[in-house]
Amino acid sequence: MKQTAIVIGAGIGGIATAARLAKNGYDVTVLEKNDTPGGRCNQIIKDGHRFDIGPTLFLMPEIWEETFASLGENLSDHLDLRRIDPTYKVRFDDGLELELTSNIGKMQTQLEKVEKTAFTGFLNYIAEGSRHYKLSLEKFVGRNFFNIFEYFSLSNLPLIFQLKALGKHYKNTSRFFQDERLKAAFTFQNMYLGLSPYDAPATYSLLQYTELAEGVWYPMGGMYAGIQALTKIAEKLGVKFIYNAPVKKLKVAGSKVAGLELEDGREFAADIFVGNADLPYIYDQLLPDRAEAKKLIEEKLYTCSTIMFYWGVDKEYPQIAHHNVFLGGDYKASFDQIFNDHILPEAPSFYVHAPKRTDPAAAPEGQDTLYVLVPVGHLDARSKQDWDALIQRARQTVLTRLGNELGATDLERHLKFEMVYQPKTWKERFNLVNGSAFGLSHNFWQVGYLRPRNRHAKYKNLYFAGASTHPGTGLPIVLLSARLTTERILKEMGTISVQNVKKAMLAAAD
Protein backbone atom coordinates (compact mmCIF):
# COMPACT_ATOMS: atom_id res chain seq x y z
CA MET A 1 0.00 0.00 0.00
CA LYS A 2 1.54 3.29 -1.11
CA GLN A 3 1.84 6.21 1.26
CA THR A 4 -0.21 9.17 0.07
CA ALA A 5 0.73 12.81 -0.24
CA ILE A 6 -1.26 15.92 -1.08
CA VAL A 7 0.54 19.00 -2.37
CA ILE A 8 -1.30 22.31 -2.01
CA GLY A 9 -0.29 24.49 -4.94
CA ALA A 10 1.22 23.76 -8.34
CA GLY A 11 3.98 26.33 -8.30
CA ILE A 12 7.39 25.11 -9.41
CA GLY A 13 8.20 24.02 -5.83
CA GLY A 14 4.98 22.04 -5.57
CA ILE A 15 5.43 20.35 -8.95
CA ALA A 16 9.06 19.41 -8.23
CA THR A 17 8.22 18.10 -4.73
CA ALA A 18 5.30 16.08 -6.08
CA ALA A 19 7.47 14.55 -8.79
CA ARG A 20 10.26 13.69 -6.35
CA LEU A 21 7.81 12.05 -3.94
CA ALA A 22 6.21 10.06 -6.76
CA LYS A 23 9.65 8.92 -7.88
CA ASN A 24 10.13 7.60 -4.33
CA GLY A 25 6.93 5.60 -4.29
CA TYR A 26 4.31 8.02 -3.01
CA ASP A 27 0.81 8.33 -4.42
CA VAL A 28 0.67 12.11 -4.97
CA THR A 29 -2.19 14.50 -5.71
CA VAL A 30 -1.62 18.21 -6.38
CA LEU A 31 -4.45 20.67 -5.68
CA GLU A 32 -4.15 23.98 -7.54
CA LYS A 33 -6.53 26.95 -7.11
CA ASN A 34 -5.98 28.24 -10.66
CA ASP A 35 -6.72 26.48 -13.94
CA THR A 36 -3.09 25.87 -14.93
CA PRO A 37 0.14 24.95 -13.12
CA GLY A 38 3.04 27.33 -12.54
CA GLY A 39 2.02 29.77 -9.83
CA ARG A 40 3.95 32.98 -10.32
CA CYS A 41 5.90 31.25 -13.09
CA ASN A 42 2.85 31.11 -15.33
CA GLN A 43 2.25 32.57 -18.77
CA ILE A 44 -0.21 34.71 -20.69
CA ILE A 45 -0.97 34.07 -24.37
CA LYS A 46 -3.05 36.66 -26.19
CA ASP A 47 -3.39 37.50 -29.89
CA GLY A 48 -0.19 35.63 -30.71
CA HIS A 49 1.81 37.33 -27.94
CA ARG A 50 3.35 35.15 -25.21
CA PHE A 51 4.35 36.59 -21.83
CA ASP A 52 5.97 34.99 -18.82
CA ILE A 53 4.02 36.39 -15.87
CA GLY A 54 6.80 36.42 -13.28
CA PRO A 55 10.40 35.16 -13.53
CA THR A 56 12.24 35.78 -16.81
CA LEU A 57 15.80 34.80 -15.84
CA PHE A 58 16.94 31.18 -16.07
CA LEU A 59 19.83 31.04 -13.58
CA MET A 60 21.92 28.30 -11.91
CA PRO A 61 21.35 25.65 -14.60
CA GLU A 62 23.16 23.02 -12.53
CA ILE A 63 20.30 23.08 -10.00
CA TRP A 64 17.79 22.54 -12.80
CA GLU A 65 19.95 19.70 -14.14
CA GLU A 66 20.01 18.01 -10.73
CA THR A 67 16.23 18.29 -10.45
CA PHE A 68 15.65 16.63 -13.80
CA ALA A 69 18.32 13.98 -13.12
CA SER A 70 16.68 13.09 -9.79
CA LEU A 71 13.51 12.31 -11.77
CA GLY A 72 15.36 10.11 -14.26
CA GLU A 73 15.42 12.75 -16.99
CA ASN A 74 17.94 14.93 -18.84
CA LEU A 75 17.33 18.67 -18.83
CA SER A 76 18.59 18.97 -22.41
CA ASP A 77 15.89 16.55 -23.60
CA HIS A 78 13.19 18.94 -22.39
CA LEU A 79 14.51 22.50 -22.65
CA ASP A 80 16.34 24.32 -25.44
CA LEU A 81 18.46 26.82 -23.51
CA ARG A 82 20.04 29.89 -25.12
CA ARG A 83 22.60 31.98 -23.29
CA ILE A 84 21.81 35.70 -23.14
CA ASP A 85 24.99 37.77 -23.38
CA PRO A 86 25.18 40.67 -22.70
CA THR A 87 22.99 39.69 -19.79
CA TYR A 88 21.51 43.20 -19.51
CA LYS A 89 21.75 46.66 -20.84
CA VAL A 90 21.71 48.97 -17.82
CA ARG A 91 20.80 52.61 -18.34
CA PHE A 92 21.13 55.46 -15.86
CA ASP A 93 19.14 58.66 -15.99
CA ASP A 94 22.33 60.68 -16.59
CA GLY A 95 22.93 58.92 -19.91
CA LEU A 96 25.47 56.30 -18.83
CA GLU A 97 24.93 52.87 -20.41
CA LEU A 98 26.57 49.61 -19.34
CA GLU A 99 26.34 46.21 -20.97
CA LEU A 100 26.90 43.55 -18.32
CA THR A 101 28.64 40.70 -20.12
CA SER A 102 30.86 37.69 -19.53
CA ASN A 103 33.26 39.18 -22.10
CA ILE A 104 36.02 40.34 -19.76
CA GLY A 105 37.64 42.64 -22.31
CA LYS A 106 34.38 44.49 -22.93
CA MET A 107 33.77 44.80 -19.20
CA GLN A 108 37.24 46.27 -18.71
CA THR A 109 36.72 48.87 -21.43
CA GLN A 110 33.35 49.94 -20.08
CA LEU A 111 34.28 50.01 -16.41
CA GLU A 112 37.54 51.92 -16.81
CA LYS A 113 35.71 54.66 -18.72
CA VAL A 114 33.65 55.20 -15.58
CA GLU A 115 36.31 54.66 -12.91
CA LYS A 116 40.00 54.04 -13.44
CA THR A 117 40.35 51.21 -10.89
CA ALA A 118 36.88 49.73 -11.42
CA PHE A 119 37.99 46.71 -13.45
CA THR A 120 40.28 45.48 -10.68
CA GLY A 121 37.43 46.01 -8.25
CA PHE A 122 35.11 44.09 -10.56
CA LEU A 123 37.43 41.07 -10.71
CA ASN A 124 37.74 41.03 -6.92
CA TYR A 125 34.00 41.46 -6.52
CA ILE A 126 33.23 38.51 -8.80
CA ALA A 127 35.85 36.42 -6.99
CA GLU A 128 34.12 37.19 -3.69
CA GLY A 129 30.79 36.32 -5.27
CA SER A 130 32.20 32.97 -6.36
CA ARG A 131 33.29 32.17 -2.81
CA HIS A 132 29.92 33.24 -1.42
CA TYR A 133 28.05 31.15 -3.99
CA LYS A 134 29.98 27.94 -3.40
CA LEU A 135 30.03 28.25 0.39
CA SER A 136 26.33 29.17 0.59
CA LEU A 137 25.23 26.34 -1.65
CA GLU A 138 27.26 23.73 0.18
CA LYS A 139 26.92 24.83 3.80
CA PHE A 140 23.67 26.79 4.11
CA VAL A 141 21.31 26.93 1.13
CA GLY A 142 21.68 23.34 -0.02
CA ARG A 143 21.02 21.53 3.26
CA ASN A 144 18.41 21.14 5.97
CA PHE A 145 18.91 22.35 9.53
CA PHE A 146 17.04 20.34 12.14
CA ASN A 147 17.92 22.49 15.18
CA ILE A 148 19.51 25.80 16.10
CA PHE A 149 22.73 24.11 17.19
CA GLU A 150 23.32 22.71 13.72
CA TYR A 151 22.92 26.19 12.24
CA PHE A 152 25.12 28.00 14.75
CA SER A 153 27.60 25.12 15.08
CA LEU A 154 31.28 25.71 15.72
CA SER A 155 32.01 24.81 12.12
CA ASN A 156 29.31 27.15 10.73
CA LEU A 157 29.95 30.23 12.84
CA PRO A 158 33.17 31.24 11.02
CA LEU A 159 31.37 30.75 7.70
CA ILE A 160 28.69 33.27 8.66
CA PHE A 161 31.42 35.88 8.89
CA GLN A 162 33.18 34.66 5.73
CA LEU A 163 29.88 35.05 3.88
CA LYS A 164 29.44 38.56 5.32
CA ALA A 165 25.93 37.61 6.38
CA LEU A 166 25.88 40.45 8.93
CA GLY A 167 27.10 43.07 6.43
CA LYS A 168 24.95 44.97 3.93
CA HIS A 169 25.32 44.40 0.23
CA TYR A 170 25.44 48.01 -0.95
CA LYS A 171 27.92 49.06 1.72
CA ASN A 172 30.13 46.09 0.89
CA THR A 173 30.42 47.18 -2.76
CA SER A 174 32.27 50.30 -1.56
CA ARG A 175 35.28 48.02 -1.08
CA PHE A 176 35.32 47.43 -4.84
CA PHE A 177 33.84 50.54 -6.50
CA GLN A 178 33.75 54.25 -5.70
CA ASP A 179 31.35 55.44 -8.40
CA GLU A 180 27.79 55.32 -7.09
CA ARG A 181 26.47 54.20 -10.46
CA LEU A 182 28.73 51.14 -10.46
CA LYS A 183 27.60 50.27 -6.96
CA ALA A 184 24.04 50.41 -8.26
CA ALA A 185 24.88 48.32 -11.35
CA PHE A 186 26.21 45.51 -9.17
CA THR A 187 23.51 45.55 -6.49
CA PHE A 188 20.19 46.10 -8.32
CA GLN A 189 19.99 42.29 -8.74
CA ASN A 190 18.78 42.14 -5.13
CA MET A 191 15.43 43.08 -6.59
CA TYR A 192 15.13 39.53 -7.97
CA LEU A 193 14.59 38.56 -4.35
CA GLY A 194 12.39 41.56 -3.64
CA LEU A 195 15.09 43.07 -1.42
CA SER A 196 16.75 46.42 -0.94
CA PRO A 197 20.55 46.29 -1.41
CA TYR A 198 20.77 48.52 1.65
CA ASP A 199 19.21 45.76 3.76
CA ALA A 200 20.24 42.59 1.90
CA PRO A 201 23.19 40.64 3.33
CA ALA A 202 26.51 41.19 1.54
CA THR A 203 26.38 37.47 0.81
CA TYR A 204 24.29 38.33 -2.22
CA SER A 205 27.31 39.34 -4.28
CA LEU A 206 26.85 35.71 -5.34
CA LEU A 207 24.03 36.86 -7.65
CA GLN A 208 26.39 38.73 -9.96
CA TYR A 209 28.78 35.79 -9.99
CA THR A 210 26.05 33.36 -11.08
CA GLU A 211 24.96 35.68 -13.90
CA LEU A 212 28.34 36.53 -15.38
CA ALA A 213 30.21 33.28 -14.68
CA GLU A 214 27.47 30.67 -15.07
CA GLY A 215 25.28 32.69 -17.37
CA VAL A 216 21.77 34.05 -17.78
CA TRP A 217 19.82 31.66 -20.00
CA TYR A 218 16.50 31.64 -21.80
CA PRO A 219 14.49 28.47 -22.49
CA MET A 220 12.88 28.65 -25.92
CA GLY A 221 9.18 28.89 -25.36
CA GLY A 222 9.73 31.04 -22.28
CA MET A 223 10.20 30.24 -18.62
CA TYR A 224 6.86 28.45 -18.68
CA ALA A 225 8.50 25.76 -20.80
CA GLY A 226 10.24 24.65 -17.59
CA ILE A 227 6.88 24.37 -15.81
CA GLN A 228 5.40 22.39 -18.69
CA ALA A 229 8.37 20.01 -18.74
CA LEU A 230 8.27 19.34 -14.99
CA THR A 231 4.48 18.90 -15.01
CA LYS A 232 4.72 16.38 -17.85
CA ILE A 233 7.43 14.44 -15.99
CA ALA A 234 5.38 14.50 -12.77
CA GLU A 235 2.34 13.17 -14.60
CA LYS A 236 4.46 10.43 -16.17
CA LEU A 237 5.52 9.45 -12.64
CA GLY A 238 1.86 9.16 -11.65
CA VAL A 239 1.18 12.54 -10.04
CA LYS A 240 -2.47 13.62 -10.34
CA PHE A 241 -3.18 17.34 -10.81
CA ILE A 242 -6.58 18.78 -9.88
CA TYR A 243 -7.11 22.37 -11.04
CA ASN A 244 -9.64 25.00 -9.98
CA ALA A 245 -9.41 23.45 -6.51
CA PRO A 246 -8.78 26.17 -3.89
CA VAL A 247 -8.30 24.80 -0.39
CA LYS A 248 -10.62 26.19 2.28
CA LYS A 249 -9.01 24.74 5.40
CA LEU A 250 -6.74 22.07 6.80
CA LYS A 251 -8.36 19.74 9.31
CA VAL A 252 -6.06 19.02 12.24
CA ALA A 253 -6.19 16.32 14.90
CA GLY A 254 -3.66 16.47 17.70
CA SER A 255 -0.17 16.72 16.23
CA LYS A 256 -1.21 15.86 12.66
CA VAL A 257 -3.15 17.20 9.72
CA ALA A 258 -5.90 14.66 9.14
CA GLY A 259 -7.29 16.07 5.91
CA LEU A 260 -8.42 19.16 4.07
CA GLU A 261 -11.55 20.68 2.62
CA LEU A 262 -11.83 22.54 -0.67
CA GLU A 263 -13.94 25.66 -1.20
CA ASP A 264 -16.46 23.52 -3.09
CA GLY A 265 -16.84 21.13 -0.15
CA ARG A 266 -14.78 18.22 -1.45
CA GLU A 267 -12.57 16.58 1.17
CA PHE A 268 -9.19 14.85 0.85
CA ALA A 269 -7.11 12.81 3.28
CA ALA A 270 -3.46 11.74 3.04
CA ASP A 271 -0.48 10.55 5.05
CA ILE A 272 1.44 13.76 4.45
CA PHE A 273 0.64 17.27 3.24
CA VAL A 274 2.99 19.69 1.50
CA GLY A 275 2.09 23.37 1.39
CA ASN A 276 3.35 25.06 -1.77
CA ALA A 277 0.91 27.92 -1.40
CA ASP A 278 2.74 30.83 0.21
CA LEU A 279 3.63 29.76 3.75
CA PRO A 280 2.27 32.86 5.57
CA TYR A 281 -1.05 32.37 3.76
CA ILE A 282 -1.26 28.75 4.92
CA TYR A 283 -0.62 29.76 8.54
CA ASP A 284 -3.08 32.64 8.32
CA GLN A 285 -5.93 31.17 6.27
CA LEU A 286 -5.76 27.37 6.36
CA LEU A 287 -4.58 26.51 9.89
CA PRO A 288 -6.51 27.13 13.14
CA ASP A 289 -3.67 28.59 15.27
CA ARG A 290 -4.48 32.31 15.22
CA ALA A 291 -1.74 33.43 17.63
CA GLU A 292 0.96 31.74 15.55
CA ALA A 293 -0.44 33.19 12.34
CA LYS A 294 -0.60 36.70 13.80
CA LYS A 295 3.01 36.45 14.91
CA LEU A 296 4.12 35.36 11.46
CA ILE A 297 2.10 38.02 9.65
CA GLU A 298 2.96 40.94 11.93
CA GLU A 299 6.53 40.23 12.99
CA LYS A 300 8.14 39.00 9.81
CA LEU A 301 9.52 41.24 7.08
CA TYR A 302 8.10 40.91 3.58
CA THR A 303 9.55 41.57 0.17
CA CYS A 304 8.35 44.38 -2.07
CA SER A 305 5.71 44.06 -4.74
CA THR A 306 5.60 45.02 -8.41
CA ILE A 307 3.49 46.78 -10.97
CA MET A 308 3.59 44.75 -14.19
CA PHE A 309 2.69 45.83 -17.70
CA TYR A 310 2.21 43.18 -20.37
CA TRP A 311 2.15 44.97 -23.71
CA GLY A 312 1.21 43.46 -27.06
CA VAL A 313 2.70 45.80 -29.65
CA ASP A 314 1.91 45.91 -33.39
CA LYS A 315 5.41 47.14 -34.23
CA GLU A 316 8.84 45.67 -33.47
CA TYR A 317 11.39 47.68 -31.47
CA PRO A 318 14.78 46.03 -32.08
CA GLN A 319 16.56 48.70 -30.02
CA ILE A 320 15.01 47.18 -26.89
CA ALA A 321 17.35 44.31 -25.89
CA HIS A 322 16.27 40.99 -24.36
CA HIS A 323 16.91 42.23 -20.78
CA ASN A 324 16.94 45.97 -19.98
CA VAL A 325 17.30 47.76 -16.65
CA PHE A 326 16.57 51.47 -16.25
CA LEU A 327 17.83 52.94 -12.98
CA GLY A 328 16.44 56.29 -12.00
CA GLY A 329 16.85 59.08 -9.52
CA ASP A 330 18.25 58.85 -6.01
CA TYR A 331 19.10 55.15 -5.65
CA LYS A 332 18.84 54.99 -1.85
CA ALA A 333 15.75 57.21 -1.66
CA SER A 334 13.95 54.99 -4.15
CA PHE A 335 14.54 51.90 -1.99
CA ASP A 336 13.49 53.79 1.14
CA GLN A 337 10.25 54.74 -0.56
CA ILE A 338 9.61 51.14 -1.66
CA PHE A 339 10.54 49.35 1.56
CA ASN A 340 9.80 51.94 4.26
CA ASP A 341 7.00 54.06 2.83
CA HIS A 342 5.53 51.23 0.69
CA ILE A 343 4.88 53.45 -2.32
CA LEU A 344 6.17 53.98 -5.83
CA PRO A 345 9.44 55.98 -5.82
CA GLU A 346 9.41 59.51 -7.17
CA ALA A 347 11.77 58.38 -9.94
CA PRO A 348 11.03 54.68 -10.40
CA SER A 349 13.55 52.20 -11.72
CA PHE A 350 12.21 49.44 -13.94
CA TYR A 351 13.03 46.37 -16.02
CA VAL A 352 11.92 45.56 -19.57
CA HIS A 353 11.93 42.06 -21.04
CA ALA A 354 11.70 41.65 -24.84
CA PRO A 355 11.75 37.88 -25.42
CA LYS A 356 11.38 38.18 -29.19
CA ARG A 357 15.02 39.24 -29.40
CA THR A 358 15.81 35.57 -28.72
CA ASP A 359 12.56 33.71 -29.42
CA PRO A 360 10.70 34.77 -32.61
CA ALA A 361 7.63 32.80 -31.50
CA ALA A 362 7.06 35.21 -28.59
CA ALA A 363 5.16 37.61 -30.89
CA PRO A 364 3.61 37.66 -34.36
CA GLU A 365 5.87 38.59 -37.27
CA GLY A 366 6.67 42.30 -37.30
CA GLN A 367 5.26 42.79 -33.80
CA ASP A 368 6.67 42.76 -30.27
CA THR A 369 5.92 41.37 -26.83
CA LEU A 370 7.08 43.65 -24.02
CA TYR A 371 7.03 42.84 -20.30
CA VAL A 372 7.68 45.68 -17.84
CA LEU A 373 8.36 45.27 -14.12
CA VAL A 374 8.30 48.30 -11.83
CA PRO A 375 9.23 47.64 -8.16
CA VAL A 376 6.79 49.15 -5.69
CA GLY A 377 5.93 48.82 -2.01
CA HIS A 378 3.67 46.01 -0.85
CA LEU A 379 0.12 46.56 0.34
CA ASP A 380 -0.06 48.59 3.54
CA ALA A 381 -3.26 50.00 4.97
CA ARG A 382 -1.25 52.65 6.81
CA SER A 383 0.21 54.11 3.59
CA LYS A 384 -1.65 56.23 1.09
CA GLN A 385 -1.76 53.87 -1.88
CA ASP A 386 -3.86 55.10 -4.78
CA TRP A 387 -3.07 52.23 -7.11
CA ASP A 388 -4.77 53.72 -10.17
CA ALA A 389 -2.64 56.85 -9.84
CA LEU A 390 0.53 54.89 -9.08
CA ILE A 391 -0.01 52.63 -12.10
CA GLN A 392 -0.56 55.64 -14.35
CA ARG A 393 2.63 57.31 -13.08
CA ALA A 394 4.64 54.09 -13.50
CA ARG A 395 3.35 53.68 -17.07
CA GLN A 396 4.23 57.25 -17.97
CA THR A 397 7.74 56.89 -16.53
CA VAL A 398 8.38 53.79 -18.64
CA LEU A 399 6.99 55.28 -21.85
CA THR A 400 8.91 58.52 -21.37
CA ARG A 401 12.28 56.86 -20.79
CA LEU A 402 11.83 54.35 -23.61
CA GLY A 403 10.98 57.27 -25.87
CA ASN A 404 13.76 59.61 -24.76
CA GLU A 405 16.55 57.03 -24.42
CA LEU A 406 15.72 54.41 -27.03
CA GLY A 407 13.76 56.41 -29.57
CA ALA A 408 10.53 54.45 -29.00
CA THR A 409 8.54 57.68 -29.07
CA ASP A 410 5.56 56.11 -30.81
CA LEU A 411 5.27 53.07 -28.53
CA GLU A 412 2.04 54.11 -26.85
CA ARG A 413 0.33 54.51 -30.23
CA HIS A 414 1.33 50.98 -31.19
CA LEU A 415 -0.01 49.21 -28.10
CA LYS A 416 -2.55 46.61 -29.22
CA PHE A 417 -3.45 45.78 -25.65
CA GLU A 418 -2.21 46.17 -22.10
CA MET A 419 -2.62 43.87 -19.10
CA VAL A 420 -1.62 45.11 -15.65
CA TYR A 421 -0.69 43.23 -12.49
CA GLN A 422 -0.28 45.14 -9.23
CA PRO A 423 0.01 44.18 -5.53
CA LYS A 424 -3.72 43.42 -5.23
CA THR A 425 -3.39 41.01 -8.17
CA TRP A 426 -0.49 39.17 -6.56
CA LYS A 427 -2.51 38.84 -3.36
CA GLU A 428 -5.78 37.75 -4.95
CA ARG A 429 -4.52 35.44 -7.67
CA PHE A 430 -1.56 33.86 -5.87
CA ASN A 431 -2.49 34.24 -2.17
CA LEU A 432 0.62 36.30 -1.44
CA VAL A 433 0.28 38.06 1.92
CA ASN A 434 0.48 41.86 1.49
CA GLY A 435 0.79 41.29 -2.25
CA SER A 436 4.51 40.75 -1.63
CA ALA A 437 5.50 39.32 -4.99
CA PHE A 438 8.51 37.39 -3.66
CA GLY A 439 7.13 36.16 -0.33
CA LEU A 440 8.99 36.59 2.96
CA SER A 441 12.08 38.77 2.95
CA HIS A 442 15.67 37.60 3.45
CA ASN A 443 17.70 39.23 6.16
CA PHE A 444 19.97 37.60 8.73
CA TRP A 445 16.98 36.75 10.94
CA GLN A 446 14.97 35.23 8.10
CA VAL A 447 17.43 32.85 6.46
CA GLY A 448 18.64 29.33 7.26
CA TYR A 449 17.22 27.87 10.46
CA LEU A 450 15.84 31.30 11.35
CA ARG A 451 13.52 31.24 8.33
CA PRO A 452 10.20 29.39 8.74
CA ARG A 453 11.11 25.71 8.60
CA ASN A 454 9.98 23.30 5.92
CA ARG A 455 8.04 21.24 8.47
CA HIS A 456 5.43 22.58 10.84
CA ALA A 457 6.57 22.52 14.47
CA LYS A 458 3.26 21.16 15.76
CA TYR A 459 1.73 19.23 12.86
CA LYS A 460 4.39 16.66 12.12
CA ASN A 461 3.02 15.56 8.75
CA LEU A 462 2.70 19.10 7.33
CA TYR A 463 5.65 20.21 5.21
CA PHE A 464 6.37 23.28 3.09
CA ALA A 465 8.10 23.93 -0.21
CA GLY A 466 8.40 27.33 -1.83
CA ALA A 467 9.74 30.85 -1.57
CA SER A 468 8.78 31.65 2.05
CA THR A 469 10.35 28.61 3.66
CA HIS A 470 14.00 27.48 3.76
CA PRO A 471 16.09 28.19 1.73
CA GLY A 472 14.22 31.08 0.08
CA THR A 473 12.96 32.74 -3.09
CA GLY A 474 14.05 32.58 -6.72
CA LEU A 475 13.27 29.69 -9.10
CA PRO A 476 16.47 27.65 -8.65
CA ILE A 477 16.34 28.17 -4.88
CA VAL A 478 12.73 26.97 -4.82
CA LEU A 479 13.88 23.87 -6.74
CA LEU A 480 16.37 23.38 -3.91
CA SER A 481 13.49 23.81 -1.48
CA ALA A 482 11.69 20.94 -3.22
CA ARG A 483 14.75 18.73 -2.86
CA LEU A 484 15.30 19.58 0.81
CA THR A 485 11.63 19.13 1.70
CA THR A 486 11.52 15.77 -0.07
CA GLU A 487 14.69 14.63 1.68
CA ARG A 488 13.19 15.59 5.02
CA ILE A 489 9.92 13.78 4.29
CA LEU A 490 11.75 10.61 3.27
CA LYS A 491 13.94 10.78 6.37
CA GLU A 492 11.07 11.37 8.80
CA MET A 493 8.11 9.65 7.18
CA GLY A 494 9.76 6.87 5.20
CA THR A 495 9.34 5.89 1.59
CA ILE A 496 8.08 3.01 -0.47
CA SER A 497 10.48 3.23 -3.39
CA VAL A 498 10.72 0.49 -5.97
CA GLN A 499 13.89 -0.73 -4.28
CA ASN A 500 12.17 -0.89 -0.89
CA VAL A 501 9.20 -2.75 -2.37
CA LYS A 502 11.54 -5.33 -3.86
CA LYS A 503 13.32 -5.76 -0.53
CA ALA A 504 9.97 -6.18 1.25
CA MET A 505 8.84 -8.80 -1.27
CA LEU A 506 12.09 -10.74 -0.93
CA ALA A 507 11.82 -10.62 2.85
CA ALA A 508 8.21 -11.87 2.69
CA ALA A 509 9.23 -14.71 0.37
CA ASP A 510 11.87 -15.86 2.87
Side-chain angles (χ1 to χ4, degrees):
M1 187 72 176
K2 284 187 174 184
Q3 293 189 73
T4 55
I6 288 178
V7 178
I8 304 167
I12 192 169
I15 299 166
T17 304
R20 284 177 179 270
L21 287 172
K23 182 71 173 174
N24 281 279
Y26 275 79
D27 182 348
V28 187
T29 299
V30 179
L31 303 173
E32 167 56 42
K33 76 182 287 278
N34 294 308
D35 57 4
T36 55
R40 284 164 278 184
C41 192
N42 215 303
Q43 69 173 358
I44 296 169
I45 297 177
K46 183 174 181 179
D47 297 345
H49 298 266
R50 189 190 66 232
F51 304 85
D52 285 311
I53 287 179
T56 59
L57 300 170
F58 191 102
L59 301 172
M60 303 181 189
E62 75 280 7
I63 295 176
W64 288 81
E65 288 168 353
E66 186 280 330
T67 298
F68 279 74
S70 73
L71 303 174
E73 303 282 342
N74 292 314
L75 177 67
S76 59
D77 292 337
H78 295 272
L79 296 180
D80 178 7
L81 297 178
R82 308 291 175 88
R83 186 162 184 170
I84 308 300
D85 198 348
T87 55
Y88 312 90
K89 289 191 175 180
V90 183
R91 291 177 170 84
F92 298 83
D93 60 359
D94 65 359
L96 176 67
E97 291 184 19
L98 291 175
E99 287 191 350
L100 299 189
T101 171
S102 59
N103 185 316
I104 295 299
K106 286 185 178 180
M107 286 299 294
Q108 181 173 10
T109 301
Q110 293 181 90
L111 293 173
E112 289 183 346
K113 284 182 180 178
V114 179
E115 181 183 311
K116 188 174 182 180
T117 61
F119 182 63
T120 300
F122 166 75
L123 293 177
N124 291 331
Y125 183 69
I126 294 301
E128 179 184 272
S130 173
R131 292 192 299 273
H132 286 175
Y133 176 72
K134 291 168 183 175
L135 264 179
S136 295
L137 213 56
E138 179 184 354
K139 302 294 186 182
F140 290 97
V141 178
R143 59 159 295 186
N144 279 308
F145 294 97
F146 295 97
N147 58 64
I148 194 73
F149 303 105
E150 283 186 356
Y151 188 61
F152 288 114
S153 66
L154 290 177
S155 59
N156 269 4
L157 279 174
L159 300 180
I160 291 173
F161 292 97
Q162 288 178 39
L163 289 169
K164 300 185 176 179
L166 298 173
K168 303 302 182 189
H169 193 183
Y170 188 86
K171 183 177 181 181
N172 185 57
T173 58
S174 299
R175 299 178 55 248
F176 306 97
F177 309 106
Q178 298 308 310
D179 191 285
E180 296 298 318
R181 295 168 300 178
L182 294 183
K183 294 178 189 178
F186 291 103
T187 57
F188 75 81
Q189 295 86 348
N190 288 271
M191 291 302 294
Y192 305 160
L193 307 178
L195 302 176
S196 164
Y198 294 92
D199 298 322
T203 312
Y204 288 125
S205 60
L206 62 85
L207 291 170
Q208 292 72 42
Y209 165 77
T210 62
E211 290 180 352
L212 295 177
E214 299 194 356
V216 171
W217 301 80
Y218 179 81
M220 298 300 281
M223 295 296 291
Y224 197 65
I227 296 296
Q228 291 171 317
L230 283 171
T231 302
K232 182 178 178 182
I233 292 167
E235 289 175 333
K236 188 170 80 170
L237 291 168
V239 176
K240 296 178 288 294
F241 288 84
I242 301 176
Y243 299 106
N244 299 305
V247 176
K248 180 180 181 180
K249 64 180 177 180
L250 291 169
K251 296 184 174 183
V252 300
S255 62
K256 296 185 71 175
V257 173
L260 61 76
E261 181 183 344
L262 300 185
E263 293 283 359
D264 63 13
R266 282 179 290 172
E267 295 187 356
F268 292 81
D271 296 310
I272 64 166
F273 295 81
V274 180
N276 179 235
D278 199 38
L279 181 145
Y281 173 83
I282 294 175
Y283 275 72
D284 186 45
Q285 296 295 320
L286 304 185
L287 288 170
D289 309 303
R290 300 315 308 152
E292 188 175 24
K294 184 178 180 182
K295 182 178 180 181
L296 183 66
I297 298 296
E298 295 183 359
E299 295 184 9
K300 296 293 184 184
L301 294 177
Y302 286 78
T303 54
C304 69
S305 193
T306 62
I307 294 171
M308 312 290 299
F309 299 106
Y310 306 102
W311 289 337
V313 188
D314 66 11
K315 175 182 176 180
E316 196 163 353
Y317 292 86
Q319 67 268 44
I320 302 176
H322 190 113
H323 296 298
N324 310 266
V325 174
F326 293 78
L327 297 177
D330 185 324
Y331 194 60
K332 185 173 190 311
S334 69
F335 283 106
D336 287 343
Q337 288 164 352
I338 291 170
F339 289 93
N340 297 337
D341 302 332
H342 301 144
I343 59 171
L344 180 71
E346 291 180 14
S349 298
F350 60 93
Y351 160 78
V352 180
H353 180 229
K356 195 175 182 183
R357 298 300 87 79
T358 303
D359 188 352
E365 185 175 353
Q367 302 186 29
D368 231 337
T369 291
L370 299 179
Y371 156 123
V372 180
L373 182 156
V374 186
V376 68
H378 63 58
L379 297 171
D380 183 355
R382 296 168 296 182
S383 295
K384 293 180 180 179
Q385 296 175 317
D386 181 343
W387 289 110
D388 290 340
L390 294 176
I391 289 167
Q392 180 57 34
R393 185 159 65 84
R395 180 192 294 109
Q396 195 55 53
T397 297
V398 174
L399 290 169
T400 298
R401 289 197 64 178
L402 289 176
N404 292 344
E405 297 173 37
L406 295 183
T409 53
D410 60 350
L411 175 58
E412 189 169 15
R413 295 198 303 274
H414 287 278
L415 295 183
K416 295 166 60 179
F417 62 83
E418 172 185 84
M419 291 172 286
V420 180
Y421 275 30
Q422 48 120 313
K424 292 178 182 177
T425 316
W426 295 117
K427 180 178 181 179
E428 291 165 6
R429 180 169 180 184
F430 300 108
N431 292 335
L432 295 168
V433 172
N434 299 327
S436 296
F438 309 87
L440 283 176
S441 188
H442 301 71
N443 61 14
F444 180 76
W445 303 106
Q446 289 184 192
V447 295
Y449 187 76
L450 304 177
R451 196 170 184 79
R453 263 79 75 193
N454 55 12
R455 193 200 71 187
H456 197 281
K458 180 178 179 181
Y459 307 116
K460 306 300 184 185
N461 65 336
L462 175 58
Y463 294 83
F464 303 97
S468 290
T469 187
H470 175 67
T473 195
L475 284 187
I477 305 305
V478 171
L479 287 176
L480 277 179
S481 169
R483 174 173 70 79
L484 296 177
T485 299
T486 304
E487 288 176 356
R488 183 163 191 173
I489 291 170
L490 299 182
K491 176 180 178 179
E492 296 177 347
M493 304 297 292
T495 178
I496 305 180
S497 66
V498 173
Q499 292 80 5
N500 286 345
V501 169
K502 288 180 178 177
K503 288 178 184 178
M505 290 174 66
L506 288 171
D510 290 341

